Amino acid sequence: MSTSSGGSAERQRVQSLQRRGRLSRHVSASSKSHVSRQDAYSFALRAAYLHHLLQPKAKRLQHVAAPTRPQIQRSSSSVADLVKDFSVVRDSKSTRFPHGFMAELDKRMEGVLVNREKAPEYADAQVKRTFAVFLNEFKRPDYRKSVEKDRKVEDLILIFYSNATKELMKGKAADDDSWKLLVDRHVALFVRLISSTLKSSSHDWTRDRPELTGRLQTLERKLLMHDQDLSAASQHNGGSGGTSQEVEIPRSQNVKDMPLVVTVADIFSKTLVQAQADVDGHNGAWTEKAALKDLKMYQTNLNLNSMKTLRSDDFDTQEAYDLWKKSENPDLSQMMLAIIQLNPELAKSVPGHIPQNKISNGISADQTSQGSRQRHSQAEESNMYVIDQPVDMSALNLDENANGSSFVDDTDPYAFIPPDPRAYYWVAVKEAFAHDLQEQSNGVNGFSQDQTRLFSKKTAELLNELGMRWRLPYISRMMLFLDSAREKFEDQEIDLETLDAAFMHIREPPSDRKKFDMSILFDRSKWTMADFSLNQQILNSVHDTLLRDLFTQLQRCYESKPPEIGPIMTVLEEKIYEDPIFSRTADDLDRFSASLAKALKEKASEHYHYLFEKEVGQYRDRLEFWHVIQLGKAVVKFCERIQKRYRKTPAIMGVEPFRILVEVVLPSFASDARDQIALILQQSSQDPQNEIPIQDGFDMYKEMVEIRRVHADVLEDVPFSLNVEDLLQSFVWRWIQTTDSSMMGWVEGAVNMDQFQVRGMTSEQDAADDERHSVSVIDIFRSFNQAIDQVLSLEWDNDLHYAKFMTALAKSVGAGLQKYCEILEQRFAREMDRLTPAQEAALAQSRQEKWMQLAKDAISAKERIEPFHFLPESLVKLNNVEYAMLQFDKIEKEMNVDACVDVIKKNEPPPQRRRRNEKFVFTIKIIEAEDLKACDPNGLSDPYVVIGDEFQKRLAKTRIVYANLNPRWDETVDITTQGLLSLTATIWDWDAFGDHDCVGRTTIKLDPSHFSDYMPREYWLDLDTQGRLLVRITMEGEKDDIQFYFGRTFRALKRTERDMARKITDKVSAYIHHCLSRRVLRNLTRQPQISVSNISSSALSFIGRGTAAPPKTISTRPSDADIATALKPLFSYLDENFAIMQQTLTSHSMITVMTRVWKEVLATVEGLLVPPLSDKPSPQQPLAEPELDVVFRWLDLLFKFFHAVDEETAQANGVPLDVLKSPKYHDLQNLNFFYYEPTETLIRTSERMATSQTGGGNNNANTSGGRLAAPQSAPMAGTHALPSLPTASAARRNKSVMASRNLGTMKKAKSEKRAAAQAEPSDDMILRILRMRPDAGRYLRDRARQRERLAAAAAAEYIVRQSLQRQEERMRGLGTSGGSMERKGSGGVVTRKAVGSGSR
């Protein structure tokens, strides 16, 4: 059976052994108990004493003096005589040492002292001492200076000789001249060092000084003439010589000189006196001869297969027995040979010669002796008697009376081998283990790391000796040792770490054997059956003990400091379960796991009840949310601690402590928390004064969510029994209500504290765009975000609740922003309508002074108008509106508005019936007026419109359009109502002096039932005086919809920005009208005849009093320079105003204002060319051809001015091209093609365009939005006007609230409108040209009625299509929303950052 046979083979072997039921020499509990401690001590003492006897006898060196020889006499010549040759030639340069030599020699002498010199002769201690004395003299500055000056080698040698003589003669007798030879030797070594320095230098001084080198070599030979080798034997004993020889020391019989005997006495608690007595009493029987007899008898019993040794029945297979026996015989022979070699007298009775190891040819006897000594030394160190070559001791006869017979009496007992070696060894190991544990606990030294700290070195040596002498296999020793460790572990005499070390120890090869078959440690087929069975019993017993310990320790796994179970699991997994002979089944482990899980559930329940009583139970009379929160925190902290504790090993023996804890604790907490929260809420509702703080509710929710998260992570398929959202959503609604009630206060407080100054502007550097808004808008959005973040931070795990929360917050934030826009617009209007210093001075003038000033200005042709001084705080308000739109758009994206709408539609379909008290939002756009009454002396008016309710409360006011009877405002106002509402629209004439004049009034009736189709309608309202007013009315139901609230707020922000930009434009529009007027055009193209009447007429015309015939003129064609010069005042004026604005406005706001001014320029140019669109002929006359050319040249110059292309960089810094090239700009460019066409041609072209629009089925007729005439059913002046049929353009609801819910939809709607305007040609400009043709009046009326019919048909088709669509949705149950809300984590909460879900 091999090692690779696996666990199945091992189990089969176990079953085979159980069936056979025989285990020879098995150590049972009874057999172990039969061996007394004294018996084990006796046999251990015998083996220890035998070990002492078999040790090689100690030897010592003894000196033998040599015969005396005549002493060598030193020559009478001195060193001075030896170096006299250096001074023979004094002028020779080659006899002096070179410059720099002293430094090199200094380094070499220091090298001698620190062992850097490689030559062995410099390593002598006396040489170093002599050189050190000379080096101290050599380093003296005065001596160093003199030597370096003369550079004579003889000076160095003489000084060294002097110092060496003084040093070596110290302590010598006066008649002792032995030191003189050492002086010569040391001086010779110094001369050799000088020569070596000259040669080894990088300068190679020997080539330049050959004479010096030769003299140094000669001197060295003279000095060494009488020198002797100081390391030779002849120089020993002060030079007297002699030899040393080894002498054997008699073997001691004192136990103190027997280390193993002392160890046995210590282990068995015997005194050395007792041990000495036992040795002395048996030393006659415990001899080498008795040991040799034991070995011979054991060998004979082994060959006879007797009961005195292991037999084949003790092994499972014959192969294993043969393998053991094959290794046993050589060991016995070697042990016997080792005894004979130590005591050759024992071999006298052996016939023939003593067997010896074979010696190779060519090896001397001395070498053989030396090898023998080395083997004895190795045997002594390893405590093993190992001979490399096998020997045969079968011929050895120890019986003196026998004549060569090999018969051995089986009844003779062994002297050194006990009757039951396994039992005796078990007792010895047990005692040794206990002794060393005690020694180790007392801190006694001597424990070797090689023995895994279980036994000291001397104890391990003793146990090895016992196992060898008692002929126990190595595996048997290890199993008996492990069984001893098992017993001590079960008796709690050793800890688990020591048991683990014991398992590790038996798997390591013996350190005292060089050749050991490692496979025997793991191939149990080579073991005895007793060892195999004992190993299995040990594993089962240790396993049961470890499981008991594990069960006990896991009962404390929920404590704050539980016991460590890692070592137990390590031993179980690595030492028990990985062993293939472990025989327990999976059912046994399952029963253990079930018992452990049941016990852990009880412990988890106990811990939770402890936490409940600690945090909640003692406060039952005054229970608050805080107590439940603290219980939740304690539970979460408890679970997290246990989870962290078992993160790496969640399952232990098939049981998960953390999962069991969650299964027990969290459901119990959920049930208790639900009951406690319901009780607290009930008590709070009964006592409103003790209302629970909102923050407590939020803290409670966060704790519940955290507990639910832990529950979901562990118990994925088990629902959490507590519906936290339904239980605590009232706290979120209270927070939203608090936010809504505080919203207006936040806005008003932020505005009142704001100075509306640019934050980052300095005297040296302009502020960046992101610093050109003031702090009020930052403060209100900080408040808005804090309110929203408070709800978002909860991570609410109910999509419908979250969508409703966001809807309510959007409504509240939108109301706050609308209030902010209202306050800003009011302040902006007051700042823009302020009087200049010149106007304030004019107010102080009398009426006559005012007229005289006007006359003077007219006569002096004062045309320059000073630029309006825009206040920085006014422009900052426009920047704030821009910043508010950007921030509000971010909120819209972060709230994930579209996903919120989808969730609400999916879970709460819209009601089929209209709710009571439903609010409606009417959007009234005041477009234009026509044929108004002239209220000023110049025959014109300065009209503006005021809308008020039936209680005379002003609801809206338009801007002033100066000097115009056909004004166009294009201003919008939103009015919210719950039912029928009557409004009054009054047109006033603005006057600089005195009260404003009433131009006319009309009424508007807003009835939600008339707008149930939510389609826009346009009305021509007749005034009670003359003229009429065109308005467009659209109604939308005020929905509790987040998109509706965002759309309404965005529209309010955009309208505020547009109104502010329009007010800024109004300040420059007067000068634009002045510079782009027909009067300037006439002056440029015609030369007037100078006369007093012409001057008077011009003055009266400018003043506005009376009428006068135009002066006589002569037509001319102006040059390009004249045309450009005419616009220079306008360009200068706009540059000055734009420069003022650019210091404060952001880039976006600056482009917005410039775009608005450009539109004003286009409207002014359009007014020069054609009259407004109407079904009546106009008194306006067409321009002459030179005038038309001038106008288009103006338009080109103005286009380049507003585009502002840098000549150097070719980069546009003004209004973008796509904005400049608006539909109106293209209409003006196309006007040149039709302006002078005959009337018949224009009518045919208009009819062809009309046919193309109707024939192609295009519903986008009349895309400009203008109207030719009022419907035939138009009411009388002063009465309510009946609605006109909606036109096709009115059917498009691009400016509805829902289309304005974010910046993206607003830009999309604007792009679609521009694309629709350019998609089909329009005949509006042709109709406006025809108004200046008196013969085209009939066609204008017919064309107006045709367009009304087309618009009515398009509106009817739209209504039918909408009705069918609603019916289809009703049939589908209002449809299902496919959009899904983005979730955060596992909570299912619509996140603020989830922008991607839902369309824009």
Side-chain angles (χ1 to χ4, degrees):
M1 185 179 293
S2 63
T3 306
S4 61
S5 58
S8 60
E10 297 286 0
R11 294 187 182 91
Q12 293 175 2
R13 184 175 180 221
V14 172
Q15 296 173 359
S16 174
L17 291 176
Q18 292 174 350
R19 287 194 301 268
R20 291 166 64 179
R22 54 179 179 81
L23 295 173
S24 301
R25 301 186 75 197
H26 170 60
V27 181
S28 62
S30 59
S31 64
K32 294 176 186 177
S33 61
H34 291 164
V35 178
S36 65
R37 189 167 179 269
Q38 184 63 30
D39 293 340
Y41 160 72
S42 175
F43 277 93
L45 185 63
R46 299 179 191 187
Y49 179 67
L50 178 62
H51 176 269
H52 173 68
L53 294 178
L54 296 181
Q55 292 297 316
K57 294 182 179 180
K59 297 180 180 181
R60 61 182 176 85
L61 292 177
Q62 183 174 348
H63 177 72
V64 179
T68 59
R69 291 177 297 178
Q71 187 173 1
I72 299 176
Q73 298 295 328
R74 177 179 170 79
S75 175
S76 59
S77 60
S78 64
V79 175
D81 297 332
L82 296 176
V83 299
K84 64 181 180 179
D85 295 336
F86 287 94
S87 60
V88 173
V89 185
R90 297 187 177 274
D91 297 331
S92 176
K93 179 181 178 182
S94 63
T95 59
R96 297 185 180 185
F97 57 79
H99 293 286
F101 174 76
M102 296 288 286
E104 293 293 331
L105 182 61
D106 193 353
K107 294 180 182 178
R108 295 295 296 272
M109 286 191 295
E110 289 180 353
V112 171
L113 299 182
V114 296
N115 294 326
R116 282 204 304 265
E117 286 295 326
K118 298 180 179 179
E121 58 267 20
Y122 293 102
D124 186 70
Q126 288 183 336
V127 173
K128 291 183 179 180
R129 188 168 71 250
T130 305
F131 272 69
V133 172
F134 170 73
L135 185 61
N136 292 333
E137 183 71 19
F138 182 74
K139 288 182 175 291
R140 285 176 47 203
D142 53 347
Y143 172 76
R144 187 77 170 260
K145 185 176 181 181
S146 63
V147 173
E148 288 181 347
K149 180 180 179 181
D150 297 336
R151 292 189 290 127
K152 295 180 180 179
V153 176
E154 57 268 28
D155 294 341
L156 291 175
I157 297 174
L158 291 174
I159 294 298
F160 184 88
Y161 173 78
S162 175
N163 285 278
T165 302
K166 294 178 182 179
E167 182 65 24
L168 293 175
M169 67 182 297
K170 289 180 180 180
K172 300 296 182 178
D175 56 349
D176 187 2
D177 293 336
S178 60
W179 57 270
K180 294 181 179 180
L181 293 177
L182 290 178
V183 172
D184 292 349
R185 177 177 175 80
H186 290 188
V187 174
L189 292 177
F190 179 68
V191 173
R192 185 180 298 177
L193 185 67
I194 294 176
S195 301
S196 176
T197 305
L198 290 173
K199 292 179 182 179
S200 62
S201 174
S202 59
H203 303 284
D204 196 7
W205 286 318
T206 57
R207 291 186 306 176
D208 299 336
R209 289 166 174 77
E211 185 177 354
L212 176 61
T213 305
R215 292 178 182 274
L216 289 173
Q217 292 177 354
T218 302
L219 177 61
E220 182 180 352
R221 287 195 298 270
K222 289 180 179 180
L223 290 171
L224 293 177
M225 182 178 299
H226 302 293
D227 189 24
Q228 304 296 325
D229 187 1
L230 298 180
S231 62
S234 61
Q235 298 299 317
H236 292 175
N237 302 305
S240 60
T243 59
S244 298
Q245 63 182 6
E246 291 184 348
V247 179
E248 289 187 356
I249 302 175
R251 181 177 285 109
S252 174
Q253 290 297 319
N254 192 342
V255 295
K256 293 181 180 180
D257 297 329
M258 307 174 189
L260 291 189
V261 174
V262 175
T263 302
V264 171
D266 290 341
I267 290 175
F268 288 92
S269 303
K270 303 292 184 179
T271 64
L272 293 182
V273 175
Q274 292 176 329
Q276 185 70 55
D278 293 336
V279 170
D280 293 342
H282 300 86
N283 56 7
W286 299 347
T287 62
E288 297 96 324
K289 182 177 181 180
L292 189 60
K293 183 179 179 180
D294 280 358
L295 292 175
K296 185 60 179 176
M297 185 183 302
Y298 182 88
Q299 187 179 41
T300 303
N301 291 329
L302 177 64
N303 295 330
L304 296 176
N305 197 18
S306 68
M307 296 291 294
K308 300 289 184 176
T309 64
L310 291 177
R311 299 185 301 165
S312 59
D313 293 341
D314 294 324
F315 292 87
D316 189 29
T317 62
Q318 184 65 33
E319 179 184 359
Y321 171 72
D322 293 341
L323 182 63
W324 169 81
K325 186 176 180 181
K326 181 179 179 181
S327 63
E328 189 74 0
N329 278 319
D331 288 348
L332 293 173
S333 299
Q334 291 177 2
M335 292 173 66
M336 288 187 286
L337 179 60
I339 296 175
I340 293 175
Q341 287 180 342
L342 289 175
N343 192 357
E345 297 295 330
L346 297 177
K348 290 181 178 180
S349 60
V350 180
H353 65 278
I354 299 175
Q356 297 177 352
N357 294 328
K358 294 181 179 180
I359 302 175
S360 303
N361 295 330
I363 302 178
S364 64
D366 294 340
Q367 292 175 338
T368 305
S369 176
Q370 182 179 1
S372 176
R373 287 197 299 270
Q374 291 178 352
R375 286 194 296 271
H376 281 294
S377 176
Q378 293 174 359
E380 182 178 1
E381 292 178 357
S382 62
N383 296 322
M384 294 292 293
Y385 303 96
V386 179
I387 299 176
D388 294 337
Q389 300 295 331
V391 295
D392 185 9
M393 300 297 294
S394 59
L396 181 64
N397 187 0
L398 300 178
D399 191 356
E400 297 179 355
N401 298 324
N403 296 321
S405 176
S406 62
F407 174 78
V408 178
D409 187 4
D410 290 340
T411 60
D412 294 341
Y414 295 117
F416 293 95
I417 302 177
D420 189 349
R422 293 179 62 89
Y424 278 78
Y425 190 84
W426 188 88
V427 175
V429 167
K430 178 180 177 182
E431 295 295 330
F433 204 0
H435 170 267
D436 277 16
L437 288 176
Q438 184 64 33
E439 292 285 323
Q440 198 170 7
S441 63
N442 296 334
V444 177
N445 296 329
F447 290 89
S448 173
Q449 294 296 330
D450 295 337
Q451 299 297 329
T452 62
R453 297 181 291 110
L454 293 177
F455 295 112
S456 63
K457 184 177 181 180
K458 57 184 181 180
T459 303
E461 184 179 355
L462 173 64
L463 293 177
N464 289 337
E465 186 70 18
L466 296 181
M468 180 190 66
R469 289 299 167 190
W470 295 353
R471 306 314 303 154
L472 278 175
Y474 179 76
I475 295 300
S476 299
R477 304 180 213 170
M478 294 298 102
M479 290 300 103
L480 293 172
F481 158 71
L482 186 61
D483 187 51
S484 175
R486 185 270 311 162
E487 182 180 82
K488 290 187 176 297
F489 176 71
E490 292 177 355
D491 295 339
Q492 299 183 356
E493 296 181 15
I494 61 174
D495 55 9
L496 188 61
E497 182 180 1
T498 306
L499 179 65
D500 185 41
F503 274 101
M504 295 297 296
H505 176 67
I506 66 172
R507 297 186 180 185
E508 295 177 355
S511 59
D512 55 352
R513 294 192 182 184
K514 297 181 180 179
K515 297 180 181 180
F516 182 78
D517 186 8
M518 289 292 296
S519 63
I520 197 173
L521 295 176
F522 308 99
D523 188 359
R524 291 183 172 86
S525 63
K526 301 177 182 178
W527 293 12
T528 65
M529 291 186 292
D531 294 333
F532 187 91
S533 178
L534 180 59
N535 189 11
Q536 188 179 41
Q537 293 177 12
I538 293 172
L539 293 179
N540 292 335
S541 179
V542 171
H543 176 260
D544 294 340
T545 304
L546 290 178
L547 286 189
R548 286 194 298 270
D549 293 346
L550 181 64
F551 188 91
T552 303
Q553 294 188 16
L554 281 179
Q555 300 304 300
R556 302 171 55 191
C557 68
Y558 298 134
E559 297 179 1
S560 58
K561 294 182 178 180
E564 183 65 35
I565 64 171
I568 296 179
M569 297 304 302
T570 301
V571 174
L572 283 174
E573 293 174 359
E574 297 180 0
K575 306 303 186 302
I576 307 297
Y577 296 142
E578 290 184 0
D579 200 317
I581 70 171
F582 179 67
S583 60
R584 294 299 174 89
T585 62
D587 294 338
D588 298 332
L589 298 179
D590 291 341
R591 285 192 293 270
F592 173 80
S593 300
S595 302
L596 180 60
K598 181 179 179 182
L600 289 183
K601 288 182 179 180
E602 295 177 356
K603 291 295 181 180
S605 180
E606 292 177 4
H607 279 274
Y608 170 73
H609 287 300
Y610 168 77
L611 293 176
F612 182 83
E613 291 298 326
K614 178 182 178 181
E615 303 294 345
V616 176
Q618 56 182 331
Y619 304 103
R620 287 187 175 89
D621 297 337
R622 55 187 187 280
L623 195 61
E624 298 178 359
F625 266 13
W626 185 84
H627 300 110
V628 183
I629 293 173
Q630 291 303 113
L631 176 60
K633 289 182 178 179
V635 169
V636 171
K637 184 178 180 181
F638 183 35
C639 292
E640 288 179 347
R641 186 175 71 245
I642 301 303
Q643 183 184 26
K644 182 179 180 182
R645 182 178 298 169
Y646 297 101
R647 188 183 305 276
K648 295 182 179 179
T649 55
I652 302 172
M653 302 298 293
V655 177
E656 299 182 23
F658 175 64
R659 185 179 182 89
I660 291 176
L661 178 69
V662 173
E663 290 176 348
V664 173
V665 171
L666 295 191
S668 301
F669 172 77
S671 177
D672 292 340
R674 180 178 60 251
D675 297 340
Q676 302 301 322
I677 293 173
L679 178 62
I680 295 172
L681 291 176
Q682 181 181 1
Q683 294 175 354
S684 177
S685 62
Q686 296 174 357
D687 188 5
Q689 294 182 354
N690 294 328
E691 190 176 29
I692 303 173
I694 297 176
Q695 189 60 43
D696 287 357
F698 289 167
D699 294 340
M700 173 65 73
Y701 178 77
K702 292 178 181 178
E703 248 353 282
M704 297 298 107
V705 168
E706 180 64 20
I707 293 175
R708 184 170 58 191
R709 180 193 63 79
V710 177
H711 184 277
D713 291 343
V714 181
L715 308 175
E716 298 179 358
D717 301 330
V718 179
F720 194 61
S721 60
L722 178 59
N723 193 333
V724 187
E725 284 72 23
D726 289 343
L727 198 61
L728 299 176
Q729 65 171 323
S730 60
F731 290 93
V732 184
W733 287 117
R734 284 174 54 194
W735 170 260
I736 296 175
Q737 291 171 2
T738 304
T739 300
D740 187 66
S741 61
S742 305
M743 189 65 66
M744 299 306 169
W746 293 346
V747 173
E748 293 175 356
V751 173
N752 292 335
M753 296 295 293
D754 194 1
Q755 299 296 323
F756 293 98
Q757 299 294 329
V758 175
R759 295 177 294 112
M761 182 176 292
T762 61
S763 58
E764 300 178 356
Q765 185 178 2
D766 293 338
D769 277 0
D770 55 355
E771 296 178 340
R772 295 196 173 196
H773 46 271
S774 62
V775 296
S776 61
V777 69
I778 298 177
D779 292 342
I780 63 172
F781 271 97
R782 184 182 295 114
S783 301
F784 296 162
N785 287 318
Q786 287 176 355
I788 297 171
D789 290 340
Q790 180 63 54
V791 178
L792 293 175
S793 64
L794 298 175
E795 299 181 2
W796 201 262
D797 192 15
N798 186 300
D799 290 346
L800 181 60
H801 290 175
Y802 173 85
K804 290 183 177 181
F805 296 157
M806 293 299 105
T807 302
L809 286 173
K811 179 180 180 181
S812 179
V813 172
L817 276 180
Q818 293 177 52
K819 180 66 176 179
Y820 184 71
C821 292
E822 179 183 351
I823 297 174
L824 287 191
E825 195 168 5
Q826 291 174 359
R827 295 194 176 195
F828 185 83
R830 287 197 298 268
E831 293 165 358
M832 298 300 292
D833 294 340
R834 75 187 188 281
L835 298 177
T836 63
Q839 291 174 337
E840 292 178 355
L843 288 177
Q845 295 177 349
S846 62
R847 190 176 185 83
Q848 184 177 1
E849 291 174 345
K850 296 176 181 178
W851 288 113
M852 291 300 295
Q853 184 64 39
L854 288 175
K856 290 179 182 178
D857 294 341
I859 293 172
S860 61
K862 183 178 180 182
E863 296 182 356
R864 177 170 177 79
I865 300 178
E866 294 295 331
F868 183 79
H869 182 66
F870 295 99
L871 297 177
E873 52 265 30
S874 301
L875 301 178
V876 168
K877 293 180 176 65
L878 181 58
N879 295 340
N880 286 358
V881 175
E882 176 207 349
Y883 179 83
M885 280 193 290
L886 295 176
Q887 295 300 314
F888 196 57
D889 189 64
K890 289 182 180 179
I891 292 178
E892 191 269 344
K893 290 181 174 65
E894 292 170 350
M895 278 188 176
N896 201 359
V897 171
D898 295 336
C900 292
V901 173
D902 292 340
V903 167
I904 293 178
K905 286 182 179 179
K906 182 178 180 180
N907 293 276
E908 291 186 357
Q912 299 298 323
R913 295 183 180 180
R914 182 175 297 174
R915 300 185 302 270
R916 297 182 61 183
N917 300 326
E918 182 178 2
K919 293 183 179 180
F920 300 93
V921 179
F922 284 92
T923 301
I924 302 175
K925 182 174 184 178
I926 303 172
I927 302 175
E928 61 181 335
E930 185 179 87
D931 195 21
L932 297 180
K933 181 181 68 172
C935 297
D936 291 338
N938 58 0
L940 300 173
S941 295
D942 302 323
Y944 65 93
V945 181
V946 176
I947 296 180
D949 60 8
E950 53 192 2
F951 302 104
Q952 303 302 318
K953 179 182 178 182
R954 176 185 290 187
L955 301 179
K957 174 181 174 295
T958 67
R959 75 185 192 281
I960 302 170
V961 179
Y962 295 95
N964 202 326
L965 297 179
N966 299 292
R968 189 175 185 90
W969 292 282
D970 286 330
E971 295 191 21
T972 306
V973 61
D974 287 341
I975 298 175
T976 303
T977 180
Q978 292 183 351
L980 180 64
L981 179 64
S982 296
L983 304 177
T984 301
T986 305
I987 301 178
W988 296 89
D989 171 55
W990 180 87
D991 287 329
F993 313 109
D995 298 333
H996 299 183
D997 301 324
C998 179
V999 178
R1001 289 186 176 87
T1002 186
T1003 58
I1004 304 172
K1005 183 179 181 181
L1006 303 180
D1007 189 354
S1009 61
H1010 293 167
F1011 295 87
S1012 58
D1013 56 357
Y1014 298 101
M1015 293 299 300
R1017 289 173 172 79
E1018 292 184 353
Y1019 298 88
W1020 276 109
L1021 304 177
D1022 292 335
L1023 302 178
D1024 56 358
T1025 54
Q1026 75 174 57
R1028 54 184 180 174
L1029 176 67
L1030 178 62
V1031 297
R1032 179 184 297 150
I1033 302 176
T1034 306
M1035 186 195 77
E1036 294 194 52
E1038 182 170 320
K1039 308 174 184 177
D1040 188 18
D1041 183 274
I1042 188 170
Q1043 289 181 339
F1044 175 84
Y1045 294 132
F1046 270 97
R1048 184 169 65 179
T1049 305
F1050 268 116
R1051 193 161 66 170
L1053 288 167
K1054 197 66 179 177
R1055 187 175 298 162
T1056 301
E1057 182 187 51
R1058 185 172 60 248
D1059 291 345
M1060 287 184 175
R1062 180 179 289 126
K1063 286 182 173 64
I1064 294 175
T1065 305
D1066 290 344
K1067 295 302 178 180
V1068 300
S1069 61
Y1071 197 65
I1072 293 175
H1073 296 161
H1074 173 72
C1075 295
L1076 302 179
S1077 63
R1078 290 206 170 200
R1079 179 180 60 83
V1080 176
L1081 194 60
R1082 285 195 304 269
N1083 293 337
L1084 187 61
T1085 58
R1086 300 177 185 179
Q1087 287 185 351
Q1089 296 179 356
I1090 305 300
S1091 64
V1092 177
S1093 61
N1094 287 346
I1095 296 175
S1096 301
S1097 298
S1098 298
L1100 292 175
S1101 176
F1102 185 82
I1103 295 172
R1105 291 292 182 179
T1107 59
K1112 297 179 180 180
T1113 58
I1114 301 174
S1115 299
T1116 59
R1117 290 184 177 274
S1119 62
D1120 292 343
D1122 293 337
I1123 295 173
T1125 303
L1127 289 183
K1128 281 185 179 181
L1130 178 60
F1131 289 159
S1132 300
Y1133 179 77
L1134 292 177
D1135 280 336
E1136 292 175 0
N1137 282 278
F1138 289 162
I1140 295 174
M1141 298 177 196
Q1142 196 169 11
Q1143 295 177 359
T1144 306
L1145 290 178
T1146 62
S1147 300
H1148 173 81
S1149 299
M1150 190 68 198
I1151 296 297
T1152 300
V1153 172
M1154 293 179 67
T1155 302
R1156 189 68 197 178
V1157 175
W1158 169 248
K1159 291 181 179 179
E1160 188 67 26
V1161 168
L1162 292 179
T1164 304
V1165 172
E1166 184 183 39
L1168 290 176
L1169 297 174
V1170 291
L1173 189 65
S1174 179
D1175 60 347
K1176 299 178 181 179
S1178 172
Q1180 181 175 336
Q1181 296 298 321
L1183 299 176
E1185 188 172 352
E1187 294 175 337
L1188 185 65
D1189 292 340
V1190 172
V1191 171
F1192 279 102
R1193 293 292 302 279
W1194 281 355
L1195 185 61
D1196 184 59
L1197 292 173
L1198 288 167
F1199 183 90
K1200 295 178 180 178
F1201 173 80
F1202 278 92
H1203 194 40
V1205 177
D1206 192 341
E1207 296 180 357
E1208 296 180 358
T1209 63
Q1211 182 178 0
N1213 300 318
V1215 182
L1217 279 178
D1218 59 336
V1219 177
L1220 290 174
K1221 294 182 178 181
S1222 62
K1224 186 180 289 295
Y1225 175 79
H1226 288 290
D1227 290 341
L1228 293 178
Q1229 292 289 340
N1230 296 331
L1231 189 62
N1232 195 19
F1233 298 102
F1234 303 105
Y1235 202 75
Y1236 294 114
E1237 291 290 327
T1239 303
E1240 294 78 6
T1241 303
L1242 294 177
I1243 291 175
R1244 285 195 301 270
T1245 304
S1246 176
E1247 290 176 346
R1248 185 170 59 252
M1249 290 183 178
T1251 303
S1252 175
Q1253 293 172 0
T1254 57
N1258 187 2
N1259 295 331
N1260 294 329
N1262 191 16
T1263 57
S1264 67
R1267 292 293 172 265
L1268 293 174
Q1272 294 181 353
S1273 59
M1276 299 297 295
T1279 63
H1280 177 262
L1282 293 175
S1284 66
L1285 292 174
T1287 63
S1289 64
R1292 295 191 313 270
R1293 304 180 62 195
N1294 290 332
K1295 289 189 177 181
S1296 66
V1297 173
M1298 302 303 290
S1300 304
R1301 60 183 181 271
N1302 56 51
L1303 294 180
T1305 57
M1306 294 168 70
K1307 292 179 180 178
K1308 181 180 179 181
K1310 190 174 183 179
S1311 301
E1312 291 176 353
K1313 180 181 178 181
R1314 181 175 297 175
Q1318 298 176 356
E1320 294 291 340
S1322 175
D1323 62 343
D1324 286 355
M1325 281 299 178
I1326 297 177
L1327 295 175
R1328 296 173 73 171
I1329 295 174
L1330 290 175
R1331 285 196 64 193
M1332 297 185 294
R1333 311 288 176 89
D1335 52 345
R1338 182 175 179 180
Y1339 176 75
L1340 292 175
R1341 291 190 295 271
D1342 294 341
R1343 180 75 176 107
R1345 286 193 290 270
Q1346 180 186 8
R1347 297 181 70 168
E1348 289 172 1
R1349 289 193 298 271
L1350 291 175
E1357 181 183 356
Y1358 180 80
I1359 293 172
V1360 172
R1361 188 165 58 250
Q1362 290 292 102
S1363 177
L1364 293 176
Q1365 183 177 357
R1366 291 193 187 97
Q1367 184 177 2
E1368 184 179 356
E1369 290 179 354
R1370 195 177 298 111
M1371 294 295 293
R1372 293 198 308 261
L1374 298 177
T1376 57
S1377 174
S1380 62
M1381 306 186 74
E1382 295 289 338
R1383 298 178 178 269
K1384 182 172 184 180
S1386 62
V1389 182
V1390 184
T1391 62
R1392 184 176 182 181
K1393 303 297 181 184
V1395 182
S1397 62
S1399 59
R1400 291 290 178 211

